[in-house]
């Protein structure tokens, strides 16, 4: 849905079919590329705690809750990108990212993440693509808005 994968397929291992990579020409500024739904569940929270540890004091837990929520929002944004904007040609560069948090996801919340192409341009021989990523929680609660600036390889 969305980006208009050019309908080309190439055979993959063991008879599987893989879509051709998304090319610079496939991006249409103003076009919605797709959406996915992710849950901030126990697995994601556990992965965060394995990296950063779990707090034991109430004051530390409150501070960690905001940091964890912001980190989880970033992870969800990247997982949505990896899922929706796929397959990608090798050699892309994630040049910049800007994230505005309106709120943070809470445990067990389903988050809807939508990605749109908001711009593209050729500059100094490079292909630049700008993607907007919007995350909303249950009931349409605004969580975050992100802008990803990419240098597209092909």
């Amino acid at each position: 849905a969305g980006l208009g994968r050019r309908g080309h397929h190439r055979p993959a291992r063991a008879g599987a079919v893989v879509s051709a990579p998304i090319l610079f020409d496939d991006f249409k500024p103003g076009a919605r590329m797709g959406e996915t739904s992710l849950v901030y569940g126990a697995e994601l929270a556990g992965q965060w705690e394995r990296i950063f540890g779990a707090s034991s004091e109430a004051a530390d837990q409150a501070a960690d809750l905001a940091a964890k929520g912001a980190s989880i929002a970033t992870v969800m944004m990247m997982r949505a990108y990896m899922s929706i904007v796929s397959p990608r040609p090798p050699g892309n560069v994630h040049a910049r990212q800007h994230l505005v948090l309106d709120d943070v996801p809470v445990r067990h919340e389903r988050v809807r993440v939508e990605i749109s192409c908001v711009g593209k341009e050729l500059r100094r021989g490079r292909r630049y693509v700008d993607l907007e990523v919007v995350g909303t929680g249950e009931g349409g609660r605004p969580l975050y808005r992100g802008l990803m600036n990419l240098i597209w390889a092909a």
Side-chain angles (χ1 to χ4, degrees):
L3 184 58
R5 305 225 167 48
R6 300 162 332 148
H8 302 299
H9 292 86
R10 66 174 185 271
R13 285 180 256 142
V17 176
V18 177
S19 296
I22 298 168
L23 302 177
F24 182 74
D25 289 342
D26 296 326
F27 289 98
K28 306 295 180 213
R32 180 178 168 276
M33 297 177 64
E35 72 176 63
T36 190
S37 180
L38 303 167
V39 176
Y40 175 21
E43 180 184 353
L44 193 52
Q47 290 170 342
W48 192 90
E49 289 170 0
R50 279 192 292 284
I51 294 169
F52 297 104
S55 296
S56 57
E57 296 183 29
D60 288 340
Q61 288 176 351
D64 280 354
L65 188 61
K68 185 186 292 186
S71 296
I72 296 302
T74 303
V75 168
M76 288 181 155
M77 182 170 81
M78 290 308 301
R79 285 185 176 180
Y81 164 73
M82 299 296 285
S83 170
I84 294 168
V85 186
S86 181
R88 294 168 302 284
N92 294 335
V93 175
H94 189 132
R96 267 190 324 227
Q97 177 172 297
H98 181 78
L99 182 66
V100 175
L101 289 172
D102 296 312
D103 205 346
V104 294
V106 296
R107 289 283 294 269
H108 310 294
E109 181 172 27
R110 181 167 298 282
V111 176
R112 180 178 160 269
V113 185
E114 184 175 333
I115 298 182
S116 299
C117 176
V118 294
K120 74 177 193 179
E121 66 178 315
L122 286 170
R123 206 171 12 165
R124 295 185 304 273
R126 293 190 176 170
R127 301 170 196 90
Y128 289 86
V129 175
D130 297 325
L131 304 178
E132 179 183 55
V133 184
V134 177
T136 53
E138 293 174 357
R141 182 171 64 94
L143 296 177
Y144 59 85
R145 293 175 318 280
L147 181 63
M148 298 172 62
N149 307 109
L150 308 157
I151 300 172
W152 209 255

